Structures are given as C-alpha cells and as structure tokens.
Amino acid sequence: MSATPQHPQKNRVSRRVLAATAGLVTVGALVAAMPAGAHDRGKGHGHGHQSRTVDVQLLSFNDLHGNLEPPAGSAGTVSETQADGTVTSVPAGGVEYLATSLRTARKGNPYSVTAAGGDMVGASPLLSGLFHDEPTIEALNGLDLDVTAVGNHEFDEGATELARLQNGGCHPVEGCYEKGKKFKGADFPYLAANVTSEKTGKPILKPYTVWKKNGVKIGFIGVTLEGTPNIVTANGVKGLKFHDEIETVNKYAKELDRQGVKSIVALIHEGGAPASASYNYDCDSPGAGDGISGPIVDIAKGITPKVDALVTGHTHQAYVCTVPDPSGKPRMVTSASSFGKLYTDTTLTYDRRTNDIVRTSVESANHIVSRDQAKATDMTKLIARWNTLAAPIANRPQGWITADINGRGSTAPEKPLGNLIADAQLEGLAPADKGGAVVAFMNPGGIRADLVHAASGSEGDGVVTYGEAFTVQPFTNMMNVVDLTGAQLVAALQQQVSGSNEASPKILQVSKGLTYTLDLTKSGADRVVADTIRLNGEAIDPAKTYRVAMNEFLAGGGDGFAALGEGTNKLVGASDLDLFNEYLAAHSTADAPLAPPATDRITVVQ
C-alpha cells in the first residue's frame, strides 16, 4: 500500500478543486508539483530575482511514545476510508519507515523543518523504556527532528530526568548502558513554555525557538496541557507549575513578534476528537472545523492570530482541520495519530516582505507511514544494537494465551485486557499480608498495548514475553491498597463520567466480582446507575469500609478520580508489572494457555 495522503485541507477561500477522477489538472495542481521555493508569486523589493514568497515545508508528528519498532496488533494500524465508503486497516509505523517517509518527503523541499507535538517518550515499549528512552532520543536525532513540545509523558520520571534527556549524561542510578559511550542527549530543543519551576517562576526548558534559513524565520512555541498534574504521578510533577495554554502561547507570540519573528507555529500537547477514526476523514465538512471537538477547539479559538498554525497531540487522533482564530480567520490545526503511524506535511507560504505566513495559502495533509517502503538502514542498525542489549530480559517467556487479548486496541468501555490486569492486581493484593484487597481498579489510559497471539520474534505464537508484558504495563507503577467507604467507591465510579471526565469518559477496568450498569442515554454521574453496583452479588454499603487496590497514579487522585485519592490506611505493594507477570505465570502454561476473559462486568445501555 502506498502512502496515501489525507484529503488535502486548505482555507475555504482558496480551496483547490480536486478533479483527478475527471482527468482534469488544475493550474494549482501544476504549481504544487513544482519544487518548494520555486513558486514565483511576485518579487520582493531589494531581493533582486529572489521570489517574494517561499514555501516552507513543515513535517510533523506526535505521541511517538518510544515506539521504535512497528507497533503490534491493532495499535499498529491506521483506519482508511475507501472511495466506496468501506474502511480498511493499514499496517503502519516504526521508525525505520518513519525515517524513510520523512526523508522522501523532504526531497525537492530546500526549506523543510520537522516538529513534534510531545510525548516522544514515556509509556514506551521495553526496547526504549528499559533504557530510560535513550534509544528514542537517539532515533529522533537521526530523524533530524528540529523541535518538539513537551508532553505529559515527558514528566513520567520527573523534571530532572527530562533535563537529562535534553542535555545528555548517563543515568544517575543505572549509569551508561554501552561501554565507552556517554548518552549525548537530544540535539533538538524540547520546549516547555507553560511549565515553570515553583522556586524560580521561570520555564524549566526553553519556551520557544526560532528556525532560520536564508533569511526565513519561523518561531516555534511549545506547551503541554495545563492539566498535566492530573494525569502524571505526583513525583513526576513535584516542584513544577503548569500554566494556561492560551495565555502562555499568546505571551510568547507577542515576545516573538517584538523580535521581528512574524511567522509562528504553536506546538501544543493537547488535542481533539474527529467525528471519524479514519485518518483521511475531512473534518472541514460541512464547514471549517465542524468535524472536530474536544479541548483543542477552544484553545485554537483563543490563541492569538499572530500564530499561523497549530501542531497538536495527546488524543492520539488523526486530523487536519481549519479552526477559526479569534479574528475569525481559518487556521490549520493538525495531529498525526500516534506511534509514528502518520506524519503531517504542511506547506507554509512565507512572504519575505512581511516576514509572515500567507494564511490563505496554507495547505496540509496527513500521510501513512506505510510498511511497504524501504527501511532506513541507520534505524535498523540502531534497533538491532539496543535489542541486543535488551534481549536477555525482553525474550523471557512470562505466559501463554489462546488468542489476542485486546486492551489499547479495544474501543469498548470494558476491555478484555483491562479485566485481566484488574484481576491480576486483585489476586496479588487480596492476601491479608499483601493488603487484603476486595476489589481492584485499573485506569484505561495505563493500558498501552494489546497482548497479541502472533509471535513478535522467535518465541512462537501464543507466548507472552517479558518485553510484551512490559509494553502493556510500561510505567511499573507501585500498587497501593487503601481503605475507601462504600460512598467513596460509588463516587469514584460516578467520576468516570462526570466532572472533568464528563465530556470524555474514563471507564475504570474492574476486577471480577464488581458489576454495575452504565447507562449512556443519561448524562453526568447518573450514567452510573448507583443501585446496580454490586460486589460479589451484594449492594455496596455507603458506610462500610472496603480495601481497594489500584496503582499509585489512581491512588493520588489521577485522571479526575478525586474519590480514589481520599483513601486511608495505605499499604504499598509490588509494581503493577510484577503482579501482571505473576498472574500470567500462575494461570497459563504452554499446554493450558490463558483465554481472553469475558467482558460481562459492566452492562452498557446505549
């Protein structure tokens, strides 16, 4: 399958008519076929024969999460709507292919800059996560990434570790991983404009950078979502303050403007949800930005018109939309899915006279990083080198399964892999000396992959390796068992669909024995039907105390679950990954593999 471009988006006042099916070629298409920078749209004063405008190619991607190898299972596919309306799944991703895609795209484009929208690292598969994401930073250096914003996952190991990824140096505890080699750090800037130190009040990393070539200057401002502390463990954001995205971008856009930098791109680790999961869905239909919802819409509408384009992320969705800026002018807002499965190619027409982007000429499209193209040999060597170091741990069998057990790839509220993880946590923490848990909760966002039946290497079909288990549970969060009242337990379930989670519900994965009805025809907290909640067949007693197991992130009230953060009498247990591996070992053998668990705990009314 070739890398098919998403339906090209353009500001409505100048949208090109695509008439290829009728055998027509527009003048615009002929111009687009010329090398970037070759368009002669009028000569500027004092530039001799130099064209007044130059086309700058902005290549972008987001939410790589250390996926150097092609993601397995449904996590490694892109949905594509065909001409007849059917939807197909296209295998995509892997840095060997991403490198080839970007390098091919750059050909014929002398003015090309590559930017990312955050979460380059964190929640990474074992190949990168085992080495604190040094392999991913090395790969991004090789991809010639010019700049990225920080995302929430860049804070998983705290600001000190993020600074090490930027500046280099060996890990403070584990040291250098390769004899005679010191980690060099990122050769591109991480931007953290809205993340300041509580002590100094200043950004912990550069707030912006300016890309320059032959007099062309484009400023990049990078921010992560203001709500990062709600979705990262407390230790990860200790001593940091996160500020409003709009106010921060507007502040630094004004500063860049005063410096004479009129062309500005905001890299924002916050996103939206298009009406279709297909990467080639036109989210400007019927009108500009009509097909997208979520936090990025309001952010885009509030960011100063001084900013010419928004590269976004966080929601792992694919979209290329035009959302009006505060002056009502359409402005490009893009996101390229996740895991390196897509990249966005945006043309920014730079006017040398005004030093600004001609907004009506901005075009953008997403492209599949297909696996039927040549691999980049330097990335193949990089992966092989780190795999050799990881192999003794990664290839160790942990369990056996009869079929795929979907987690990340499941769109259902209750996921088979979610049930498996919650059951593993309950079993490991139910003994009195381990915490005495009677129920376990797992946050859906912490399930980072599927368990795939097909072999990923030489281990054989059905074998779950340590590396595969790590990819599912890469945070190695410590487990907590706490006291919660029945009233707090019910409140926590209601917080799945209310408060900060009302617009985008976060359905906890629950251990066996807990059942309830989720009525999606209702609104807010009422969607959890309180009188249907049962634990081992008995109604929840609001006044009774229950021992509840969950990872330290949820126990800190993460993901909007304030009720879970009210737990008392805390006991810290083993890590989530250890419990997961112990469960796989205890419940499966080569002769008696584990079947996907039933999903019958949450009754969903649509």
Side-chain angles (χ1 to χ4, degrees), residues 125-191:
L126 184 124
L127 176 61
S128 186
L130 187 63
F131 305 106
H132 296 276
D133 283 310
E134 289 182 20
T136 295
I137 297 298
E138 184 183 336
L140 292 170
N141 289 344
L143 289 176
D144 292 324
L145 181 63
D146 290 296
V147 59
T148 184
V150 293
N152 54 286
H153 282 284
E154 263 80 20
F155 295 94
D156 284 348
E157 297 188 45
T160 302
E161 174 62 5
L162 173 56
R164 186 184 77 88
L165 292 181
Q166 176 71 87
N167 301 318
C170 297
H171 192 270
V173 176
E174 297 178 21
C176 300
Y177 295 112
E178 295 179 287
K179 191 174 181 180
K181 278 190 179 180
K182 183 180 177 184
F183 175 57
K184 294 178 180 178
D187 63 12
F188 52 89
Y190 261 111
L191 303 181

Side-chain angles (χ1 to χ4, degrees), residues 512-523:
K512 59 187 175 185
L514 185 75
T515 57
Y516 69 94
T517 296
L518 182 67
D519 188 345
L520 297 179
T521 66
K522 297 180 179 179
S523 61

Side-chain angles (χ1 to χ4, degrees), residues 257-549:
D257 186 66
R258 283 199 303 265
Q259 296 173 16
V261 179
K262 308 294 184 182
S263 299
I264 303 173
V265 175
L267 308 176
I268 304 175
H269 191 71
E270 178 61 291
S276 167
S278 290
Y279 92 99
N280 56 339
Y281 164 69
D282 181 1
C283 60
D284 278 351
S285 178
D290 285 348
I292 188 170
S293 59
I296 199 60
V297 177
D298 288 336
I299 291 172
K301 289 178 178 177
I303 284 177
T304 173
K306 293 181 191 298
V307 173
D308 298 294
L310 278 60
V311 172
T312 73
H314 188 56
T315 56
H316 292 204
Q317 301 297 308
Y319 48 84
V320 173
C321 305
T322 48
V323 179
D325 69 15
S327 71
K329 286 175 61 181
R331 178 169 53 194
M332 200 62 72
V333 179
T334 69
S335 175
S337 184
S338 63
F339 302 168
K341 293 180 289 189
L342 297 177
Y343 71 92
T344 313
D345 190 338
T346 302
T347 301
L348 301 173
T349 301
Y350 184 93
D351 188 326
R352 291 184 183 274
R353 183 184 294 172
T354 63
N355 296 325
D356 207 349
I357 300 301
V358 182
R359 191 86 73 76
T360 54
S361 295
V362 175
E363 292 182 5
S364 192
N366 274 332
H367 301 265
I368 296 178
V369 176
S370 67
R371 298 184 196 165
D372 62 359
Q373 59 186 322
K375 296 179 179 181
T377 55
D378 58 328
M379 294 297 153
T380 302
K381 290 175 183 175
L382 182 152
I383 289 170
R385 203 178 86 240
W386 287 102
N387 262 332
T388 299
L389 291 174
I393 296 172
N395 297 336
R396 193 168 67 222
Q398 295 297 137
W400 289 262
I401 55 176
T402 64
D404 288 359
I405 304 180
N406 287 337
R408 196 74 181 182
S410 169
T411 57
E414 181 183 354
K415 307 172 194 304
L417 189 50
N419 287 355
L420 178 61
I421 291 170
D423 287 350
Q425 293 175 353
L426 176 60
E427 182 170 296
L429 299 172
D433 63 336
K434 302 292 184 183
V438 295
V439 65
F441 291 137
M442 175 63 194
N443 55 307
I447 306 169
R448 305 306 297 188
D450 304 332
L451 280 185
V452 179
H453 184 265
S456 60
S458 58
E459 77 276 12
D461 290 349
V463 179
V464 179
T465 65
Y466 182 90
E468 291 165 338
F470 183 98
T471 299
V472 169
Q473 295 260 265
F475 299 108
T476 54
N477 278 321
M478 301 310 293
M479 292 299 300
N480 291 184
V481 184
V482 300
D483 284 348
L484 288 175
T485 65
Q488 289 169 324
L489 199 153
V490 171
L493 291 174
Q494 291 174 330
Q495 285 166 357
Q496 300 176 110
V497 290
S498 62
S500 61
N501 293 330
E502 181 163 4
S504 182
K506 290 187 174 72
I507 305 303
L508 294 165
Q509 306 299 288
V510 300
S511 56
K512 59 187 175 185
L514 185 75
T515 57
Y516 69 94
T517 296
L518 182 67
D519 188 345
L520 297 179
T521 66
K522 297 180 179 179
S523 61
D526 290 341
R527 285 183 276 189
V528 171
V529 184
D531 61 8
T532 66
I533 303 173
R534 298 280 186 277
L535 182 59
N536 299 321
E538 294 184 4
I540 298 295
D541 181 349
K544 185 178 175 182
T545 296
Y546 297 84
R547 293 291 282 166
V548 183

Side-chain angles (χ1 to χ4, degrees), residues 38-62:
H39 303 195
D40 189 358
R41 297 178 177 144
K43 292 164 185 167
H45 297 295
H47 291 290
H49 293 292
Q50 191 175 50
S51 170
R52 172 173 168 176
T53 61
V54 58
D55 281 356
V56 178
Q57 179 189 56
L58 172 62
L59 300 177
S60 57
F61 57 97
N62 51 276

